[in-house]
Amino acid sequence: MTEEDIKLKYITPAIQKAEWDIVSDVFCEYSFTDGRIIVRGNLTTRGRQKRADYLLFYKKNYPIAIIEAKDNKHEVGAGMQQALDYASILDVPFAFSSNGDGFIEHNRLTGIERELTLDEFPTREELWNNYVENAHITPAQEEIINEPYFFQLGDKTPRYYQRIAINRTVEAIANGQNKILIVMATGTGKTYTAFQIIYRLWKAGKKKKVLFLADRNVLVDQTMTNDFKPFDKVMTKIKGHKLDSSYEIYLALYHQLAGDDGEEPFRQFKPDFFDLIIVDEAHRGSAKEDSRWRKVLKYFDTEDTTQIGLTATPKETKEASNISYFGEPVYTYSLNQGIDDGFLAPYKVVRVGLDKDLEGYRPEIGKLDMYGEEIEDREYSQKDFDKNMIIDARTEAVAKRISQFLKKSDRFAKTIIFCVDIDHAERMRRALGNENSDLVAQNDKYIMRITGDNKEGKAQLDNFIDRESNYPTIVTTSKLLTTGVDVKTCKLIVLDSNINSMTEFKQIIGRGTRLDIEHGKEYFTIMDFRNASRLFADPEFDGDPISIIEIPNDGDMEIPPGEEGEEAGGDDEETTGGLTGTDDDDDRDPPKGRKRYRINDVDVQIVNERVQYYDVGGKLITESLTDYTRKNIRKEYANLDAFLRKWNEEDRKEVIIEALKERGVLLDAVREQEHLQELDEFDLILHFAYDQPPLTKAERVKNVKKRGYIYQYKDIAHDVLEMILEKYKDEGITEIEGTKVLELNEFQKFGSPLKIVKAFGNKKKYLEAIKKLKEEIYLA
């Protein structure tokens, strides 16, 4: 019997006999990832989803067991390793393996395995009681744990990693932990996760007064409008210095509570007023021990108050640490996990080398800059450019390369360019405008500068975020857009700033990781002019958060209150204290004792360029597409004989092609790049991996007809096989496998698929005929 037979006839009945509700408690073929998006060239495809044969839920928010099934050619425990792998990912306490003869149960809390008959599969209550006993859960804790998620018809439900983060947090609070850190990559739904945590605790009556702290107006407004909308009637945004104590859910900016004019508005609340405080972007100013924002947390740090930090980039430095304050993360979901699961967009990196960046620039003796200043005689390197030394031709070269890229791909792809400071962002805006004057003439908002000091630019931030709005398309910035701005359609991130902070680098990359397949965003490109992408190779990039040690950098300072200038003036003028709004590490002035020179008579050229792709596990690969294809096929099949043996043994050739796809081998991308549309997958593999002379699909069809195989069949059967051969010639081998091909329009003239199959005798004989046809196609 097949695995499906075993599940239908033995495993499912055994579960039902143990009184599990097959409709509400048991999910079959449960997919919990979307499948990694693989990018090669300009082509993308999805890898396989991770899928459990059975996932059993005690309650909708608590999966309790996984069952992996095998056919009865395998022994009963053959599926245990896969079951344990999935159980670990999904944070499920019990794993089962079965071949239909019985079950092996693995208790992940105790490490003990036992063998069960089909009649001994545990009931829902038996498993839960076993879990409660081994996890040492008290009745009071169980009451909190059992509070369901918020859900209404049409709403999204938590993804598996969000559910784990929510459950672990609720369990930690139930266990009396009052400081909690959650690490989740940008774009994985930290705010939605926070909402569900608040909702469950609030509905359970354990946390009645909640404060959600952020450091930017745009974050607070997005949160209120989107994820926190169900709290509408009990929620308020703190404005000004007068605080209303009649609400239950409060959202606030750090500096509004901390005060910028000597006042400390947060003291209007008693220290024990809030039961729960959630800190968004906890890697920012609140991570610093001497931060004026940290004093807000310390004021409300009472025995009965729970504080939760949310971050994508936990900090652990001499100057700042959210880990020392909140403790080790209760859960971490990394950028690489998000990309490998298919929930985040992968990236390709275009590293551009400019001659002056690589060789340096030294002025001749007595050279004057544009303003008549004599330039100090020394070697100027990449770290000096746009900081101490401005070379206009360099700015123009960068703007030209960005524009060329967009003109070849999509001129309305949302683009963020990270510059050294405000002055650099303004000059880059002008240079880009000159390169794209045709679109600027149509709409002067095509390119804009969005920095902390620019009200006009910041006023367009919502339009830049809006997926339906074309304008602005390209924005230049410095620090303002490094964090918290949700631009789902961002397809290009340009690095033209000297980035040494791992935290800042992660946040910048996070601007592009959100998927938006509906609007054509399946991956994004990072164009790097400053070698910042070297940080991808650092183990700290996606490593254990406790190990992250920042490289000292002026830009990694506590963001001054002026950065929040999004809404300075109007209602927020009082609360922001008349802030000037700058978002730069060194603003407009060069370091003390050194002038900023500007020259416009030095040439700058691009001397090299390298494209790298995201590969399994977060590695960047640089090899050519054909070299990468050859290497990875040979990893799967060491030599030609091994490949041919597998190809001939496998009835469904699609299985082989899908397995290679999981290794990142996209044969369609190779076919497109090398203009070899006339070759099928078999011949592409022979040609590129094993240096064999290929045959075209047309040549293979001609050889089949020459050998006379299809002439063994008469009438409809013969005509069907001839048409299937033509289908293979046009579209390849995977299109003719199985009986689905018979449902296509061109086969309707022969009658229904059932009638066609009967022309061969029966379905079995039809499939045998197709199997033999495929063998004929691939005869040497």
Side-chain angles (χ1 to χ4, degrees):
M1 287 184 285
T2 67
E3 183 179 307
E4 292 305 312
D5 290 330
I6 295 294
K7 286 154 66 175
L8 177 66
K9 297 175 182 178
Y10 296 98
I11 299 177
T12 299
I15 296 170
Q16 289 176 301
K17 189 174 180 181
E19 299 178 359
W20 289 83
D21 187 327
I22 207 73
V23 174
S24 62
D25 299 337
V26 180
F27 289 80
C28 301
E29 295 296 305
Y30 182 85
S31 297
F32 55 91
T33 71
D34 283 355
R36 180 170 66 99
I37 295 175
I38 305 165
V39 183
R40 295 291 178 268
N42 294 318
L43 292 180
T44 61
T45 190
R46 284 273 190 185
R48 283 181 292 191
Q49 295 176 307
K50 288 190 174 79
R51 180 179 293 129
D53 289 332
Y54 295 85
L55 187 63
L56 278 55
F57 283 76
Y58 173 68
K59 289 200 170 181
K60 280 188 169 58
N61 51 318
Y62 266 88
I64 195 167
I66 272 181
I67 306 172
E68 281 302 313
K70 295 293 180 185
D71 61 39
N72 57 357
K73 294 176 185 176
H74 294 82
E75 55 94 16
V76 66
M80 184 53 74
Q81 285 302 120
Q82 186 176 355
L84 285 172
D85 182 36
Y86 286 176
S88 176
I89 294 170
L90 294 171
D91 208 26
V92 173
F94 298 98
F96 292 85
S97 173
S98 179
N99 66 350
D101 294 335
F103 295 95
I104 301 292
E105 177 196 80
H106 182 105
N107 185 327
R108 295 182 62 237
L109 297 168
T110 65
I112 295 173
E113 287 192 0
R114 59 177 182 147
E115 192 162 353
L116 306 171
T117 66
L118 286 177
D119 293 334
E120 291 175 326
F121 191 81
T123 67
R124 178 172 165 272
E125 290 303 323
E126 284 172 343
L127 273 188
W128 180 253
N129 291 335
N130 193 341
Y131 170 67
V132 168
E133 179 183 348
N134 287 292
H136 308 295
I137 295 172
T138 67
Q141 292 167 350
E142 192 173 354
E143 181 186 351
I144 301 176
I145 288 170
N146 284 338
E147 187 64 44
Y149 297 127
F150 172 85
F151 178 75
Q152 60 185 20
L153 197 61
D155 270 6
K156 59 186 176 183
T157 55
R159 291 172 173 164
Y160 83 87
Y161 62 85
Q162 293 169 335
R163 173 186 54 74
I164 296 171
I166 296 162
N167 287 349
R168 285 196 184 178
T169 302
V170 171
E171 287 169 8
I173 293 169
N175 287 330
Q177 189 173 330
N178 60 10
K179 286 194 176 64
I180 296 164
L181 183 64
I182 303 170
V183 179
M184 291 171 61
T186 300
T188 56
K190 290 191 296 295
T191 312
Y192 173 71
T193 300
F195 162 72
Q196 291 289 6
I197 291 168
I198 294 169
Y199 181 83
R200 286 178 61 186
L201 295 169
W202 181 68
K203 286 296 286 184
K206 304 300 179 183
K207 304 293 178 183
K208 283 298 186 183
K209 295 286 187 179
V210 180
L211 174 64
F212 183 86
L213 278 172
D215 66 347
R216 297 186 178 188
N217 264 321
V218 66
L219 294 179
V220 173
D221 294 340
Q222 283 177 356
T223 299
M224 294 182 73
T225 304
N226 300 323
D227 292 320
F228 280 34
K229 191 171 179 59
F231 288 139
D232 190 41
K233 293 181 180 179
V234 297
M235 174 175 60
T236 186
K237 175 183 176 182
I238 295 175
K239 295 183 179 181
H241 286 186
K242 292 183 179 180
L243 308 182
D244 187 343
S245 61
S246 63
Y247 290 90
E248 295 180 57
I249 312 295
Y250 295 78
L251 293 90
L253 303 172
Y254 281 113
H255 63 265
Q256 286 178 331
L257 284 185
D260 297 314
D261 50 9
E263 292 188 36
E264 295 182 329
F266 65 87
R267 296 188 185 276
Q268 293 181 41
F269 292 116
K270 291 181 179 179
D272 61 355
F273 181 80
F274 294 108
D275 306 305
L276 175 63
I277 297 175
I278 295 187
V279 182
D280 194 20
E281 306 291 353
H283 59 277
R284 308 282 283 189
S286 60
K288 296 177 184 292
E289 176 65 30
D290 59 353
S291 162
R292 61 195 179 85
W293 294 346
R294 177 69 75 86
K295 69 184 177 184
V296 177
L297 299 184
K298 286 185 174 178
Y299 176 78
F300 292 114
D301 186 11
T302 69
E303 186 178 342
D304 296 324
T305 302
T306 300
Q307 296 185 357
I308 301 172
L310 303 174
T311 183
T313 50
K315 297 180 72 130
E316 185 64 24
T317 71
K318 291 179 180 178
E319 294 79 24
S321 173
N322 46 32
I323 293 171
S324 64
Y325 185 79
F326 288 105
E328 294 286 345
V330 296
Y331 185 62
T332 297
Y333 188 72
S334 68
L335 173 66
N336 284 344
Q337 285 173 285
I339 294 175
D340 285 342
D341 284 346
F343 297 129
L344 294 179
Y347 45 82
K348 63 179 180 180
V349 179
V350 180
R351 299 177 75 165
V352 183
L354 301 169
D355 56 358
K356 295 299 182 289
D357 289 5
L358 301 174
E359 301 161 9
Y361 166 70
R362 184 174 182 180
E364 59 267 27
I365 299 295
K367 181 173 176 62
L368 303 180
D369 77 349
M370 288 172 58
Y371 306 112
E373 291 283 346
E374 184 174 341
I375 301 173
E376 180 186 349
D377 179 22
R378 68 179 182 87
E379 185 85 17
Y380 292 88
S381 65
Q382 188 179 67
K383 67 181 182 181
D384 294 305
F385 297 142
D386 299 297
K387 196 170 186 179
N388 310 311
M389 169 62 69
I390 298 168
I391 303 177
D392 281 354
R394 188 190 179 285
T395 309
E396 291 161 6
V398 171
K400 188 178 187 68
R401 183 65 189 94
I402 295 167
S403 302
Q404 286 173 343
F405 179 86
L406 291 172
K407 287 172 183 177
K408 283 185 178 180
S409 52
D410 176 8
R411 295 189 75 183
F412 284 94
K414 293 292 177 81
T415 301
I416 306 175
I417 301 156
F418 290 95
C419 301
V420 169
D421 57 20
I422 289 174
D423 179 65
H424 183 206
E426 174 56 25
R427 286 184 288 102
M428 186 60 70
R429 182 198 64 79
R430 291 200 301 272
L432 285 162
N434 291 335
E435 290 290 335
N436 298 274
S437 57
D438 56 334
L439 293 183
V440 172
Q442 294 176 26
N443 191 315
D444 59 16
K445 291 183 175 61
Y446 175 69
I447 301 166
M448 295 195 75
R449 169 168 63 93
I450 300 181
T451 50
D453 69 332
N454 186 270
K455 290 183 179 179
E456 292 77 17
K458 286 187 294 185
Q460 292 298 319
L461 185 57
D462 285 344
N463 289 328
F464 182 59
I465 292 170
D466 186 354
R467 294 184 291 173
E468 304 300 331
S469 173
N470 276 338
Y471 304 102
T473 300
I474 304 171
V475 301
T476 64
T477 190
S478 173
K479 292 282 188 290
L480 187 62
L481 302 185
T482 58
T483 185
V485 179
D486 183 0
V487 189
K488 280 192 173 181
T489 52
C490 179
K491 290 184 178 180
L492 177 62
I493 289 175
V494 179
L495 307 177
D496 198 24
S497 179
N498 298 314
I499 301 167
N500 290 316
S501 162
M502 184 62 77
T503 297
E504 182 183 1
F505 181 66
K506 279 189 174 184
Q507 288 293 329
I508 287 173
I509 299 308
R511 298 312 100 213
T513 55
R514 288 172 173 83
L515 278 172
D516 192 359
I517 293 174
E518 180 186 348
H519 292 82
K521 162 81 178 293
E522 292 183 292
Y523 69 96
F524 68 106
T525 302
I526 300 161
M527 187 171 284
D528 180 14
F529 291 91
R530 301 268 180 163
N531 197 30
S533 54
R534 72 190 185 282
L535 294 172
F536 281 121
D538 193 316
E540 294 170 3
F541 174 68
D542 207 39
D544 186 341
I546 194 69
S547 68
I548 293 178
I549 304 296
E550 300 290 350
I551 300 168
N553 177 44
D554 292 342
D556 197 33
M557 298 163 59
E558 178 182 338
I559 302 299
E563 189 196 78
E564 173 47 42
E566 282 105 31
E567 298 186 24
D571 291 343
D572 282 347
E573 188 169 4
E574 180 184 352
T575 61
T576 54
L579 302 172
T580 55
T582 173
D583 64 346
D584 282 33
D585 51 348
D586 50 15
D587 202 3
R588 295 182 184 277
D589 298 322
K592 290 181 181 179
R594 187 172 288 170
K595 294 182 178 180
R596 175 179 283 179
Y597 305 106
R598 183 174 176 182
I599 53 178
N600 61 0
D601 57 355
V602 171
D603 189 39
V604 175
Q605 297 292 329
I606 293 174
V607 293
N608 62 49
E609 197 165 292
R610 181 170 58 167
V611 179
Q612 297 175 299
Y613 294 92
Y614 180 95
D615 197 24
V616 180
K619 293 181 180 178
L620 285 173
I621 57 166
T622 312
E623 301 124 303
S624 70
L625 187 57
T626 52
D627 288 344
Y628 180 81
T629 299
R630 179 182 296 108
K631 184 178 77 175
N632 279 274
I633 291 173
R634 288 185 171 181
K635 278 184 181 178
E636 192 79 11
Y637 309 107
N639 52 49
L640 178 60
D641 286 343
F643 168 68
L644 291 175
R645 186 164 54 250
K646 179 64 176 176
W647 186 268
N648 291 328
E649 288 173 356
E650 185 60 64
D651 285 343
R652 291 180 58 245
K653 313 306 180 188
E654 187 177 10
V655 172
I656 296 172
I657 296 163
E658 286 299 313
L660 289 173
K661 188 191 294 182
E662 287 298 304
R663 280 196 172 273
V665 174
L666 298 193
L667 295 170
D668 285 341
V670 177
R671 185 185 285 116
E672 181 181 85
Q673 177 178 294
E674 302 296 325
H675 307 293
L676 294 172
Q677 279 75 16
E678 70 276 12
L679 299 187
D680 76 354
E681 289 84 353
F682 177 81
D683 283 286
L684 282 170
I685 291 170
L686 288 189
H687 180 51
F688 285 106
Y690 305 108
D691 300 316
Q692 297 295 306
L695 291 175
T696 66
K697 288 178 285 186
E699 287 171 332
R700 290 193 175 278
V701 168
K702 185 178 179 182
N703 288 343
V704 172
K705 290 182 177 179
K706 193 184 295 183
R707 285 191 292 267
Y709 166 67
I710 64 172
Y711 300 107
Q712 299 175 23
Y713 294 88
K714 305 296 181 187
D715 303 327
I716 289 178
H718 169 273
D719 293 343
V720 166
L721 288 178
E722 192 160 37
M723 185 171 284
I724 285 175
L725 272 177
E726 288 302 308
K727 194 74 180 168
Y728 160 76
K729 186 173 73 173
D730 293 338
E731 299 186 35
I733 194 66
T734 59
E735 294 301 314
I736 68 170
E737 298 189 306
T739 57
K740 284 283 186 184
V741 65
L742 303 180
E743 298 174 10
L744 298 175
N745 290 337
E746 50 261 56
F747 289 90
Q748 288 181 359
K749 65 181 182 180
F750 302 117
S752 68
L754 181 61
K755 183 179 178 182
I756 294 172
V757 163
K758 283 184 176 178
F760 289 83
N762 53 42
K763 181 178 178 181
K764 182 180 178 181
K765 288 183 178 179
Y766 167 78
L767 292 174
E768 287 174 351
I770 296 298
K771 182 179 179 181
K772 178 63 177 172
L773 180 66
K774 289 190 287 186
E775 290 172 359
E776 288 286 328
I777 288 172
Y778 294 112
L779 279 177

